[in-house]
Amino acid sequence: MDNNSKKKPLYQVLYIQVIFAILLGIALGHFYPDIGESLKPLGDAFIKIVKMIIAPVIFLTVVTGIAGMNNMKSVGSVVGKSMLYFLTFSTLALIIGLVAANIIRPGDGLNISPESLDSSKVIGYVEKAHESSIVGFLMNIIPETVVSPLVNGNILQVLFIAVIFGIALASTGKKGEPILVFLQNFSEPVFKMVGILMKLAPIGAFGAMAFTIGKYGISSIGNLMMLIVTFYMTSLLFIFVVLGAVAKYNGFSIIKLIKYIKDELWLVLGTSSSEAALPSLMRKMENAGCEKSVVGLVIPTGYSFNLDGTNIYMTMAALFIAQATGIELSFTEQISLLLVAMISSKGAAGVTGAGFITLAATLSVVPSLPVAGMALILGIDRFMSECRALTNLVGNACASIVVARWENALDKDKMHQALNGNSQNPVEDISISLSSKKNMSPPENK
């Protein structure tokens, strides 16, 4: 039996609170749209609070994980295998999005003239699209100073500095041990802080959902519902068929994994941001038997390079625009679109609003597609961002277990115990320390 169900009544369980908050937000946004729209600061504030803690969480996890590894060659091995996994399944996601859009053709029948599109709404995204180039990516990953990533919160830059510092710390031998012990001890209050901040998740989800429904309205998505349904169904197909097969091959169930990370999924659904769940997802994957060093490298890197949901969206949205404007893309043009999307999706890693920006970058290099066509989906992008974020989250959780297994860094017994609901939730009980994953009683209960 799940230990959490013994300990807490349902109304105190985080994901139940988030579900209730989402439903309340939808109702408020629908019946009182003005009030709902005014609650945007609640969602924004929660995302800002989570982003505040992401940099130290990644830095501490990666540094202590790498510094604790006996063989530095394993660091390169984890990174190499992670990138191989990311490249394979990100490309597969692009192909699936392309195939689904060709079969279902959600844009047929709209018959929109490209000249009638208002390009002013997407100018900002097009201007940022140059950041999606490889040069832009390299400039984005290298920080101004050693400490600046911890200030600006750029995930890739934090990861870059953490890997270098972790290797340097491991190379110093015994002289570096006091620093490693300090960072391990410092990790405890940081992760307790994460647990405390997660208590605010229902408020953030309520505000974000009330704003979305209040501003755009449920009825505003009716004429573009086919694209939304196609995107959601394709994403579900990718999760349960593609990732499901990967999970089965590697000895676990994708359904049990989804159930295990349900807190994070509901949080992402409410906030439309996968970053909101990053700290707690890292803790949960460690709790599921993945070594800390693997989690510290795979999860943050995956947030930039393993964007399965975003990749499905990119090719599907591009073909939707072509179909809606009556432009027939040849097979060669579609392959070109796929190749460009492969590059731009990696080049935009770490760029704010990467999904829409990479779409702009992709369209801008395919002459036959009007970049102004992005205006067609700008209004419904918010409704699709939840699915992108959810798919990205499941993909990264799956990648963490797979890479850990490849590295012989997976405790299979611990994994099965966690996925079967027999281990303690590391997020809801903030008394669990970083260095110990065993069930503990809070001091005040002793």
Side-chain angles (χ1 to χ4, degrees):
M1 184 181 292
D2 190 340
N3 291 335
N4 291 327
S5 62
K6 293 180 182 179
K7 290 172 53 180
K8 293 187 175 184
L10 282 179
Y11 68 88
Q12 291 184 0
V13 176
L14 181 63
Y15 81 90
I16 296 294
Q17 295 174 354
V18 172
I19 292 173
F20 179 76
I22 290 173
L23 295 175
L24 192 62
I26 291 174
L28 180 65
H30 179 65
F31 293 107
Y32 302 97
D34 291 338
I35 297 177
E37 191 173 346
S38 69
L39 295 179
K40 185 176 186 291
L42 291 179
D44 291 345
F46 177 71
I47 298 298
K48 193 172 182 180
I49 286 173
V50 173
K51 286 184 176 181
M52 171 188 73
I53 200 69
I54 284 177
V57 164
I58 292 176
F59 182 81
L60 290 169
T61 303
V62 174
V63 170
T64 55
I66 291 177
M69 297 173 79
N70 295 324
N71 185 0
M72 285 299 99
K73 289 183 180 179
S74 59
V75 176
S77 178
V78 171
V79 173
K81 289 175 181 176
S82 298
M83 288 302 175
L84 177 62
Y85 179 95
F86 296 160
L87 179 63
T88 300
F89 288 95
S90 294
T91 303
L92 189 56
L94 288 168
I95 294 172
I96 289 175
L98 199 69
V99 171
N102 273 295
I103 294 174
I104 301 177
R105 301 187 64 83
D108 279 356
L110 291 180
N111 300 320
I112 296 172
S113 171
E115 291 76 18
S116 67
L117 297 171
D118 182 9
S119 61
S120 62
K121 295 179 180 179
V122 299
I123 287 177
Y125 295 101
V126 177
E127 289 176 347
K128 291 182 180 180
H130 71 279
E131 297 180 34
S132 299
S133 65
I134 297 301
V135 174
F137 164 67
L138 292 175
M139 295 303 294
N140 184 59
I141 196 175
I142 302 173
E144 294 290 333
T145 67
V146 173
V147 297
S148 60
L150 298 175
V151 177
N152 60 35
N154 185 303
I155 293 178
L156 274 182
Q157 292 182 357
V158 173
L159 188 62
F160 180 75
I161 292 297
V163 169
I164 295 175
F165 186 75
I167 293 173
L169 184 59
S171 302
T172 57
K174 290 186 177 181
K175 290 184 178 180
E177 289 181 1
I179 299 176
L180 177 58
V181 171
F182 168 75
L183 292 176
Q184 288 173 336
N185 291 333
F186 184 58
S187 298
E188 284 199 40
V190 169
F191 275 98
K192 284 187 178 182
M193 186 176 174
V194 170
I196 294 172
L197 294 178
M198 284 300 105
K199 303 296 182 184
L200 300 175
I203 298 175
F206 167 71
M209 190 58 68
F211 162 74
T212 299
I213 301 301
K215 181 174 178 63
Y216 300 107
I218 297 176
S219 60
S220 67
I221 63 176
N223 58 332
L224 297 172
M225 183 61 74
M226 179 59 73
L227 174 60
I228 296 175
V229 171
T230 302
F231 178 52
Y232 272 75
M233 293 302 295
T234 305
S235 297
L236 288 172
L237 179 73
F238 181 84
I239 290 172
F240 289 107
V241 177
V242 177
L243 295 184
V246 172
K248 185 175 182 180
Y249 180 79
N250 286 276
F252 65 98
S253 164
I254 194 68
I255 295 176
K256 288 184 178 180
L257 176 62
I258 291 172
K259 183 179 179 182
Y260 177 62
I261 60 172
K262 61 182 179 295
D263 289 8
E264 288 69 31
L265 291 172
W266 282 110
L267 178 57
V268 166
L269 179 64
T271 60
S272 299
S273 171
S274 54
E275 284 188 346
L278 189 149
S280 57
L281 179 64
M282 292 176 71
R283 293 298 309 280
K284 277 200 169 180
M285 298 321 296
E286 288 182 47
N287 194 58
C290 301
E291 283 189 6
K292 181 169 62 176
S293 56
V294 175
V295 172
L297 289 171
V298 174
I299 298 294
T301 309
Y303 264 63
S304 295
F305 290 95
N306 191 38
L307 305 175
D308 298 328
T310 301
N311 287 349
I312 294 171
Y313 163 83
M314 283 177 61
T315 46
M316 185 171 289
L319 282 191
F320 171 82
I321 292 171
Q323 294 162 5
T325 53
I327 299 172
E328 285 296 331
L329 296 179
S330 66
F331 178 76
T332 303
E333 286 177 318
Q334 292 194 34
I335 294 299
S336 299
L337 179 73
L338 180 67
L339 294 175
V340 170
M342 285 173 59
I343 298 172
S344 61
S345 64
K346 303 300 179 292
V351 179
T352 303
F356 222 61
I357 292 169
T358 50
L359 179 59
T362 303
L363 294 179
S364 64
V365 295
V366 181
S368 56
L369 286 176
V371 178
M374 291 174 59
L376 292 173
I377 57 176
L378 188 60
I380 61 166
D381 184 68
R382 178 82 185 190
F383 295 95
M384 300 173 76
S385 64
E386 285 94 344
C387 187
R388 289 202 300 265
L390 289 169
T391 307
N392 292 342
L393 186 78
V394 175
N396 285 318
C398 183
S400 183
I401 295 179
V402 172
V403 174
R405 178 179 174 271
W406 288 352
E407 279 293 297
N408 294 318
L410 177 66
D411 185 333
K412 293 183 180 179
D413 291 336
K414 196 173 181 181
M415 177 191 72
H416 290 302
Q417 186 180 35
L419 298 189
N420 289 327
N422 296 322
S423 66
Q424 193 162 10
N425 189 329
V427 177
E428 292 193 351
D429 189 345
I430 63 174
S431 65
I432 300 179
S433 69
L434 180 65
S435 60
S436 175
K437 302 299 186 291
K438 294 180 180 180
N439 293 341
M440 298 171 60
S441 298
E444 62 267 24
N445 292 340
K446 289 183 179 179

